[in-house]
């Protein structure tokens, strides 16, 4: 008798729940506590095939159309997560005309430097890596640069020429200078294609070649010899002099090129040295540093796995009483020269 009463009660409950079950959206709950809606989805406020949880009636879209989520959220999200904004590019302040200005752009692990003469002529040395091209263009736009009197590609390494194709597309470039060495990378091919598309040819850089400027002397000191496959030693080395002050830009020139410049008896003296190869131990030999005798050194460097700048080079500069400014610490570094004095301003940290 008791069994009959129990069976009767079960049948009664099933008859009551049958309409609800018929309208439910079936789907086996997975190990994450959710499933995909298959029928009557609109009734439950869902899209057909939408993945959802039965945690108080909430639902969440699956992370991918073909895959189920691997973890169950602790709580129902109320909105989509906010994307992390890209860091704001801090552009340098444009200085008043009438001085020589050198802007060592912050382009991470790479090189890019703009020179502005007192007569408002512009020379860009290198353009950072491929992903920095648009930032270099933003720097130039912020400084009001519309035309480059000269572009210098020191050597074919990507962290120096990667962004130059963006610059060539965005600005009018009158002349392009580079050493006579080629490379097989797509980055180098992009640079050559951009030069060609702008109707320019590359002026070959060797010792003694000068960039024609008004009131400023800009002359290449290297490369002096051929260096085979060693692209760094092929670097175009430029010395810029305004009245009584000089700047030396060395690209990634290493000891073989430095030794050739020393052996050639060139005047290497400079008040500001752009340290070779991001402060690598393969550059800035003691003999070379003794010949340059800089008061200031700028290291263009970013986060890297190469150990740049080398601690031994930093010690060498310190022992020579050279004040060091680094783009990874100071951001873009601007040197302002009136011909007798040099002052610095930076986009991060204190001015020097």
């Amino acid at each position: 008798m008791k069994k009959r009463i129990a069976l009767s009660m079960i049948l009664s409950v099933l008859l009551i729940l049958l309409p609800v079950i018929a309208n439910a959206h079936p789907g086996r709950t997975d190990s994450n506590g959710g499933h995909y809606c298959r029928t009557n989805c609109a009734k439950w406020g869902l899209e057909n095939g939408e993945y959802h949880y039965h945690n108080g009636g909430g639902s969440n879209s699956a992370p991918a159309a073909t895959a189920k989520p691997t973890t169950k959220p602790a709580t129902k999200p109320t909105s989509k997560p906010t994307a992390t904004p890209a860091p704001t590019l801090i552009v340098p302040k444009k200085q008043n005309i009438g001085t020589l200005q050198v802007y060592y752009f912050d382009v991470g692990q790479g090189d890019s430097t703009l020179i502005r003469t007192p007569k408002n002529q512009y020379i860009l040395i290198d353009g950072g890596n491929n992903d920095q091209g648009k930032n270099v263009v933003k720097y130039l736009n912020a400084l009001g640069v519309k035309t480059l009197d000269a572009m210098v590609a020191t050597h074919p390494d990507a962290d120096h020429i990667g962004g130059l194709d963006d610059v060539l597309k965005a600005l009018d470039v009158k002349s392009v200078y580079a050493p006579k060495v080629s490379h097989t990378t797509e980055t180098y091919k992009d640079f050559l294609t951009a030069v060609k598309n702008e109707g320019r040819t590359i002026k070959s850089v060797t010792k003694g070649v000068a960039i024609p400027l008004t009131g400023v002397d800009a002359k290449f000191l290297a490369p002096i010899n051929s260096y085979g496959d060693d692209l760094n030693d092929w670097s175009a080395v430029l010395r810029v002099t305004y009245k009584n002050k000089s700047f030396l830009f060395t690209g990634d020139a290493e000891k073989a090129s430095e030794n050739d410049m020393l052996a050639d008896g060139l005047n290497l003296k400079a008040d500001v040295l752009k340290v070779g190869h991001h402060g690598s131990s393969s550059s800035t030999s003691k003999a070379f540093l003794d010949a340059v005798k800089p008061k200031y050194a700028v290291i263009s460097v970013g986060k890297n796995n190469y150990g740049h700048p080398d601690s031994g080079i930093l010690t060498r500069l310190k022992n020579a009483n050279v004040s060091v400014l680094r783009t990874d610490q100071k951001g873009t570094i601007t040197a302002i020269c009136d011909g007798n004095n040099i002052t610095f301003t930076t986009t991060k940290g204190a001015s020097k």
Side-chain angles (χ1 to χ4, degrees), residues 37-334:
C37 181
R38 293 206 294 264
T39 60
N40 299 316
C41 301
K43 177 180 178 65
W44 298 91
L46 302 171
E47 298 289 338
N48 289 338
E50 183 174 354
Y51 188 87
H52 62 285
Y53 301 100
H54 286 291
N55 55 348
S59 68
N60 284 328
S61 297
T66 58
K68 297 179 182 180
T70 56
T71 57
K72 177 181 176 180
T75 59
K76 173 187 172 184
T78 56
S79 61
K80 292 182 179 179
T82 304
T84 303
T88 302
L89 186 71
I90 306 174
V91 297
K93 179 183 177 183
K94 185 175 182 178
Q95 303 297 317
N96 294 329
I97 195 170
T99 57
L100 179 73
Q101 299 153 27
V102 183
Y103 300 85
Y104 301 88
F105 292 144
D106 179 9
V107 290
Q109 180 67 11
D111 261 33
S112 185
T113 304
L114 176 72
I115 301 169
R116 182 192 186 194
T117 74
K119 297 297 184 182
N120 226 30
Q121 293 173 294
Y122 293 98
I123 302 95
L124 180 69
I125 305 174
D126 292 332
N129 224 317
N130 288 285
D131 61 352
Q132 290 291 330
K134 289 180 174 55
N135 285 342
V136 173
V137 171
K138 288 179 182 177
Y139 285 136
L140 296 173
N141 288 340
L143 293 169
V145 183
K146 293 181 173 58
T147 299
L148 289 173
D149 294 271
M151 170 185 283
V152 179
T154 59
H155 65 298
D157 279 355
D159 60 329
H160 288 251
I161 64 153
L164 291 182
D165 56 337
D166 287 320
V167 176
L168 283 157
K169 294 170 188 175
L171 279 76
D172 176 33
V173 180
K174 293 182 179 180
S175 300
V176 180
Y177 294 83
K180 199 171 184 179
V181 59
S182 61
H183 205 17
T184 58
T185 62
E186 288 302 317
T187 296
Y188 188 65
K189 291 176 183 176
D190 289 344
F191 165 64
L192 294 179
T193 299
V195 172
K196 182 179 179 181
N197 289 343
E198 294 305 310
R200 299 288 180 262
T201 56
I202 296 176
K203 298 183 178 182
S204 182
V205 170
T206 56
K207 182 195 77 171
V209 172
I211 299 175
L213 299 171
T214 303
V216 173
D217 181 70
K219 188 172 291 185
F220 290 103
L221 306 184
I224 293 175
N225 292 316
S226 295
Y227 300 94
D229 295 331
D230 191 340
L231 297 180
N232 288 337
D233 277 320
W234 276 99
S235 288
V237 176
L238 182 68
R239 184 172 183 262
V240 174
T241 302
Y242 175 51
K243 295 183 179 178
N244 298 317
K245 298 296 179 183
S246 294
F247 294 75
L248 190 63
F249 306 91
T250 58
D252 278 356
E254 298 184 328
K255 290 175 185 175
S257 178
E258 291 179 354
N259 289 340
D260 284 341
M261 286 185 274
L262 290 167
D264 208 58
L266 297 172
N267 180 10
L268 299 173
K269 178 71 180 72
D271 298 279
V272 183
L273 168 67
K274 202 291 296 178
V275 175
H277 201 182
H278 321 287
S280 167
S281 60
S282 60
S283 302
T284 321
S285 65
K286 185 178 184 302
F288 188 75
L289 186 61
D290 288 345
V292 178
K293 294 182 176 64
K295 184 176 181 181
Y296 304 99
V298 175
I299 303 177
S300 183
V301 67
K303 191 177 293 184
N304 67 88
N305 297 317
Y306 308 112
H308 298 162
D310 178 75
S311 59
I313 296 300
L314 293 176
T315 299
R316 182 172 295 161
L317 291 166
K318 181 179 179 181
N319 290 342
N321 296 316
V322 180
S323 296
V324 176
L325 299 96
R326 296 166 46 171
T327 57
D328 61 336
Q329 297 175 345
K330 299 291 186 180
T332 294
I333 298 161
T334 306

